[in-house]
Amino acid sequence: MTVRAFLQDQIRALAATHDVTVVSNFQEPGELGTLPASVRIERVGIHRKIAVAADLQALFVLWRFFRQQEFDVVHSVTPKAGLLSMLAARFAGVPHRLHTYTGQVWATKHGLARALFRALDKVIFTMSSRCYVDSNSQRDFLISEGVVDVERSQVLAHGSISGVDLERFSASEVVRASMRVDLGISENAFVCLFLGRLSRDKGVLDLVQAFLRLDESGVESVLLIVGPDEDGMHAQIQQLIGDARSRIVFVDFTDVPERYMNAADLFCLPSYREGFGSVVIEAAAVGIPALGSNIYGISDAIENGVTGLLHEPRGIDDIHSKLTLLRDDHELRVRMGEAAMARARTMFAKELVTASLVAEYAQLEASLSAVS
């Protein structure tokens, strides 16, 4: 999913001048998206959750593969792939070992679980030769926690893992109208959109409770929830909804998030942890403001008071009051949406992030040439 959703353009750009291999736990090659024919793909059973026996096997397979191929660079994304890849690459003697941090699962944990997962992120950094972080506030957090240091960590461009495809994510009144018809939502309704994995850490239950408090006088309000249900959230949300079922619309996983963003008036991301919040700047490119938690990562994606509003994490009352403000003040929404679109186009176009990564690889190549 990471390769398909975030890394397509970077892989294509690197493959134009480098010999690139993609390693992932896929079932069918098509799951990786449309990669150049020159890119080699290799399947390794890297599981997202802890599975000690399978993880040790994957570590050995990666070590052997890296030794055989004699790669100059190994670059990992996602925590488990990062841990296994950086260990295997270090043991295999790969000269440049890079990892991209996109958020910390331990940020919302406590006690032993927090200490363990934090330590694993520290191992990733120790085994790497350099790391990238997809937001400045996340990098500050990792530095303050002693996970990374200033010298060997950086943010590419202005942040985000891949930037925004501005041709794909653009405003369209035609799409807006047709999507509302398809979804059974009236033209004049105020539509709040949550789009992403439905998990407890995404704060979806907080958003639903805050939304249900909106009074129904004057403006019809609809909450559009789009994404795969990972933690049985549908059942929990249904218990909360009661008689308000017509006000909340569910859609499962989609490959066309931009169409749902066009249908919305406000994007909501009430997460408890987030590396950057790429969906926020995608929604911004479509021209809608955002309401999100005031946490690292999201605070980079939303310029508070300019492109949207930040609320207190887990703050149902705060979410409700700001939902009310944004629903009732159409001019404010329009002004913030326009500012969000301009910021996304100026600072987060995918070309900026890709060019920054390609420049990093050029420096690595130059350093290898100097050594040889």
Side-chain angles (χ1 to χ4, degrees), residues 16-143:
T17 52
H18 298 75
D19 179 9
V20 176
T21 299
V22 173
V23 179
S24 178
N25 186 10
F26 58 88
Q27 298 300 320
E28 298 292 337
E31 296 173 17
L32 298 175
T34 307
L35 300 178
S38 63
V39 173
R40 175 181 177 180
I41 59 174
E42 187 77 16
R43 183 183 181 278
V44 176
I46 302 172
H47 297 275
R48 184 174 179 180
K49 296 185 178 181
I50 294 176
V52 176
D55 293 342
L56 290 173
Q57 181 180 6
L59 178 63
F60 174 75
V61 170
L62 287 169
W63 169 80
R64 183 176 58 189
F65 183 60
F66 294 165
R67 291 256 308 187
Q68 290 171 345
Q69 299 300 314
E70 297 183 339
F71 291 116
D72 295 309
V73 181
V74 168
H75 191 157
S76 58
V77 183
T78 75
K80 175 66 78 65
L83 178 64
L84 299 179
S85 297
M86 292 300 97
L87 285 167
R90 179 69 177 268
F91 297 153
V94 176
H96 292 293
R97 305 170 305 279
L98 314 176
H99 177 71
T100 298
Y101 288 96
T102 59
Q104 289 66 54
V105 66
W106 49 271
T108 56
K109 296 185 181 296
H110 303 279
L112 183 60
R114 180 185 176 91
L116 172 62
F117 286 106
R118 177 184 169 279
L120 293 177
D121 261 354
K122 177 68 174 178
V123 170
I124 293 174
F125 180 72
T126 302
M127 294 294 104
S128 71
S129 56
R130 187 159 194 79
C131 79
Y132 305 102
V133 190
D134 69 353
S135 71
N136 287 294
S137 57
Q138 181 189 176
R139 178 172 179 259
D140 292 341
F141 171 76
L142 290 172
I143 291 171

Side-chain angles (χ1 to χ4, degrees), residues 2 5 20 65 82 139 167 200-201 223 231 257 279 315 355 358-359 368:
T2 300
V20 176
F65 183 60
R139 178 172 179 259
E167 292 186 7
R200 185 168 294 277
D201 279 356
L223 176 58
D231 291 340
V279 285
V358 170
L368 286 172

Side-chain angles (χ1 to χ4, degrees), residues 172-183:
S172 169
E173 288 297 329
V174 173
V175 173
R176 179 183 175 88
S178 66
M179 286 299 295
R180 289 200 171 204
V181 170
D182 291 345
L183 294 166

Side-chain angles (χ1 to χ4, degrees), residues 277-354:
S278 295
V279 285
V280 170
I281 57 170
E282 289 171 347
V286 173
I288 61 173
L291 175 62
S293 301
N294 190 9
I295 59 174
Y296 76 76
I298 295 180
S299 61
D300 294 72
I302 300 173
E303 187 175 356
N304 192 34
V306 179
T307 67
L309 296 175
L310 296 171
H311 62 76
E312 176 187 348
R314 304 174 188 265
I316 296 173
D317 291 340
D318 197 22
I319 297 172
H320 169 253
S321 66
K322 287 170 180 171
L323 278 177
T324 302
L325 170 64
L326 290 165
R327 180 197 64 179
D328 295 343
D329 195 333
H330 178 265
E331 291 184 0
L332 176 64
R333 289 204 314 272
V334 170
R335 186 165 65 249
M336 286 183 167
E338 291 174 347
M341 180 186 289
R343 186 169 183 260
R345 291 182 170 275
T346 302
M347 297 176 60
F348 299 109
K350 67 177 183 179
E351 291 81 5
L352 295 176
V353 180
T354 298

Side-chain angles (χ1 to χ4, degrees), residues 199-215:
S199 66
R200 185 168 294 277
D201 279 356
K202 290 293 186 180
V204 183
L205 294 180
D206 297 339
L207 175 61
V208 170
Q209 292 178 74
F211 175 82
L212 290 174
R213 293 184 187 179
L214 288 176
D215 66 77

